[in-house]
Amino acid sequence: MNKSYFNESLLQDINDNKTQTNDYPVFLLPKPIRFWLLMIFEVLSLACSLILLYYLFIDRNLRQSLSNHVIMVLLIIGLFSQLIDIPFYLNYLRINYVWPPITISCLTWWFAATGISNLTNIVMAWASIERHILVFHDQWLLTKRKRLLIHYFPLLTIVLYGFIYYIIILLIFSCENMYAYEFDWCFYPCYYNNKSLALYDTIVNSILPTPIITIFSIALIIRVIKQKQTVHRHFNWRRHRKMVIQLLSITALFLFFNFPMTTLVLANACGLPNGATGQFEFYTYYLYHFVSLLMPFVCLGSLSEVRKKIKRMIIFRTMINVITPGNVLFR
């Protein structure tokens, strides 16, 4: 999520010792509604993420399935948003300033809100590309060496790039941050004042992944339809159906909330004045939080094995409660 263009419009207000201009739009959705809506989804989403990761790690078959690895990565980096970005924002909605008002709070929030968000974009872009390999070119992954080069290495490289890049530009890059604790997101990190770096971060890390995800997801649908209609080539749809549906369901969620954000950021980068779209800006940034909040539920919906395990666990616990000595049914 890139808030720099949105927050930068308030820079003159800070210089003039103001907190808001009379002509700048105000988010009309009441803060209590924003707070409780996020809070409810935050609790449920965090619980769902932890349950999913538990089963994905302890079950050997699920853990070794190549198609699940990108899901595991998305869930893990999503925890940064659920445990850092959203709690900071909830606290800001509650008390109207960043707490605790110290440097590390802003740096941590910037990393979770921008770094992790853009890392999610890039991982999703790679997932949309890799799914073509898993479905149509699985012979490329038959040996351990090929799996290391084609599957593990790109995913590990992307994750390391995201963490190292944002640690460098937030902690090491030579510029002086202005920590405005009275503003959402502490205003914005100082590296956005560097035009070249801001342009690179906005285009490569924030905007570019969205068209990549869109193009390769549509291409996957087209290839699957063509393969099923081609009688001269064998295509095991039942074998690959789960992987295709898994990617498309996550992609649909991602694009639903991310496409408006990408459009807005691109428009701002091309010269659209901040505040020109009115309430659209506020709703776009607010609703983007639901990418990380709804992702675990979409992943759960695409993992039938995990759903079955959860159902068995619920049934087992229910039976234990029923047959417990002293239960009224057995008196």
Side-chain angles (χ1 to χ4, degrees):
M1 177 166 50
N2 192 325
K3 292 186 178 180
S4 64
Y5 292 100
F6 181 74
N7 287 340
E8 194 172 1
S9 65
L10 302 176
L11 178 59
Q12 187 60 44
D13 297 335
I14 288 182
N15 292 334
D16 294 338
N17 296 318
K18 299 177 182 178
T19 58
Q20 181 178 321
T21 56
N22 293 329
D23 58 345
Y24 201 84
V26 177
F27 198 179
L28 297 180
L29 187 65
K31 281 188 177 182
I33 295 179
R34 281 182 273 163
F35 177 88
W36 286 110
L37 189 60
L38 280 180
M39 175 63 80
I40 293 171
F41 277 96
E42 164 76 352
V43 174
L44 297 175
S45 178
L46 183 58
C48 186
S49 294
L50 295 176
I51 292 172
L52 274 175
L53 287 172
Y54 171 77
Y55 283 111
L56 287 171
F57 274 106
I58 68 167
D59 188 289
R60 183 178 180 182
N61 292 330
L62 292 174
R63 185 175 66 248
Q64 292 183 343
S65 176
L66 298 184
S67 62
N68 288 336
H69 291 167
V70 71
I71 302 299
M72 297 167 72
V73 170
L74 287 171
L75 289 172
I76 292 173
I77 62 179
L79 288 176
F80 283 85
S81 176
Q82 295 166 358
L83 295 175
I84 300 176
D85 179 25
I86 294 175
F88 266 116
Y89 183 61
L90 287 172
N91 207 37
Y92 177 82
L93 289 176
R94 187 174 63 89
I95 61 178
N96 291 320
Y97 65 90
V98 178
W99 189 90
I102 55 178
T103 299
I104 191 63
S105 296
C106 295
L107 292 174
T108 304
W109 197 359
W110 286 336
F111 177 80
T114 299
I116 295 301
S117 174
N118 287 340
L119 176 58
T120 301
N121 296 348
I122 301 172
V123 171
M124 277 296 303
W126 165 246
S128 63
I129 296 172
E130 186 195 38
R131 201 62 42 147
H132 286 260
I133 299 175
L134 295 175
V135 174
F136 300 105
H137 307 286
D138 53 348
Q139 69 276 10
W140 294 1
L141 304 169
L142 293 178
T143 66
K144 184 177 180 179
R145 178 183 176 85
K146 289 181 178 180
R147 288 194 295 272
L148 285 173
L149 292 176
I150 300 175
H151 175 72
Y152 292 103
F153 180 74
L155 190 57
L156 179 61
T157 301
I158 290 171
V159 173
L160 289 176
Y161 162 77
F163 276 87
I164 294 174
Y165 173 80
Y166 283 101
I167 288 174
I168 290 176
I169 63 175
L170 288 175
L171 300 179
I172 303 176
F173 184 70
S174 180
C175 65
E176 185 175 352
N177 284 306
M178 179 172 56
Y179 305 104
Y181 303 113
E182 69 273 22
F183 285 94
D184 171 22
W185 206 53
C186 296
F187 206 52
Y188 67 93
C190 64
Y191 74 85
Y192 278 116
N193 294 324
N194 184 304
K195 298 299 183 181
S196 299
L197 189 57
L199 188 64
Y200 169 83
D201 186 56
T202 300
I203 294 178
V204 176
N205 296 333
S206 184
I207 295 177
L208 187 59
T210 299
I212 292 177
I213 295 169
T214 304
I215 292 171
F216 278 89
S217 296
I218 294 175
L220 181 65
I221 297 174
I222 295 174
R223 292 186 70 179
V224 167
I225 294 175
K226 286 187 175 182
Q227 288 283 55
K228 291 180 66 176
Q229 293 177 343
T230 302
V231 296
H232 301 293
R233 298 184 61 181
H234 178 68
F235 181 70
N236 192 338
W237 167 243
R238 289 188 176 182
R239 177 185 175 189
H240 300 299
R241 178 175 57 187
K242 186 182 72 172
M243 289 190 292
V244 174
I245 295 177
Q246 188 180 71
L247 173 70
L248 295 181
S249 58
I250 296 175
T251 298
L253 167 71
F254 184 82
L255 291 179
F256 181 80
F257 291 103
N258 189 68
F259 189 77
M261 168 72 72
T262 302
T263 303
L264 181 59
V265 171
L266 180 61
N268 290 149
C270 294
L272 180 71
N274 293 281
T277 57
Q279 293 298 302
F280 177 75
E281 284 187 3
F282 293 104
Y283 281 101
T284 296
Y285 286 110
Y286 176 74
L287 292 176
Y288 189 81
H289 290 100
F290 287 89
V291 172
S292 60
L293 291 178
L294 296 179
M295 182 75 73
F297 300 107
V298 176
C299 292
L300 177 61
S302 65
L303 294 170
S304 58
E305 302 93 332
V306 177
R307 293 201 310 275
K308 292 177 182 178
K309 290 178 180 293
I310 294 175
K311 288 181 180 179
R312 285 198 295 266
M313 180 189 69
I314 294 174
I315 294 173
F316 175 76
R317 288 185 175 274
T318 302
M319 294 177 61
I320 291 295
N321 291 333
V322 171
I323 65 177
T324 299
N327 191 289
V328 66
L329 295 178
F330 294 88
R331 288 179 180 176

